[in-house]
Amino acid sequence: AELNHLLEANQTQFSLQLQHNVEIQAHSTLFNAVLKNLLINAINCTYQGTVSLFIDTNQLNVIDTGIGLDNKPRGYEGFGIGLTIVKDICNKYAWQFSLENNKTQGCIASVKFC
């Protein structure tokens, strides 16, 4: 609900798929920062598309149908602070973070909980 204004502004749909009940050993504020920064990045890079969040017992994936890694989003250049925060939190908990182009369109941001 907190990001609905961004979804509406970008005419983007959001879906959530929780594969299993997940219990993560991390401070909730830090986990929320990871999740929020990944979702904001995906939404800002997607116009009239979809952003999907998949959470499983050992991993979360944010998949978008946006512009991919090779192009700049329209009006959302930012400073890269969000992904730096994600990387720092992942390092703190020894989680593996990756960001790559999706084969069809957009990006896949993954966090594997070790």
Side-chain angles (χ1 to χ4, degrees):
E2 187 177 339
L3 302 177
N4 277 342
H5 68 284
L6 291 175
L7 290 165
E8 290 173 8
N10 286 357
Q11 301 174 26
T12 297
Q13 299 296 312
F14 175 74
S15 69
L16 167 65
Q17 193 169 50
L18 184 61
Q19 304 289 334
H20 301 280
N21 289 332
V22 178
E23 202 170 303
I24 299 169
Q25 300 299 317
H27 193 282
S28 62
T29 301
L30 297 178
F31 178 77
N32 287 336
V34 167
L35 192 55
K36 186 175 178 181
N37 279 301
L38 292 178
L39 288 173
I40 288 172
N41 270 7
I43 294 167
N44 283 344
C45 292
T46 304
Y47 182 71
Q48 295 181 335
T50 60
V51 172
S52 302
L53 171 61
F54 299 91
I55 302 177
D56 204 342
T57 53
N58 63 349
Q59 179 171 323
L60 76 80
N61 292 315
V62 176
I63 302 173
D64 67 64
T65 60
I67 60 172
L69 296 175
D70 301 327
N71 296 304
K72 287 189 173 188
R74 50 179 186 83
Y76 296 108
E77 284 77 19
F79 299 102
I81 295 170
L83 290 180
T84 300
I85 291 169
V86 169
K87 290 174 188 175
D88 286 348
I89 294 170
C90 288
N91 287 338
K92 173 181 175 54
Y93 289 107
W95 298 340
Q96 296 175 356
F97 170 67
S98 65
L99 181 63
E100 59 189 14
N101 279 315
N102 195 350
K103 291 178 185 173
T104 55
Q105 180 180 357
C107 291
I108 302 173
S110 297
V111 176
K112 292 182 182 179
F113 311 115
C114 301

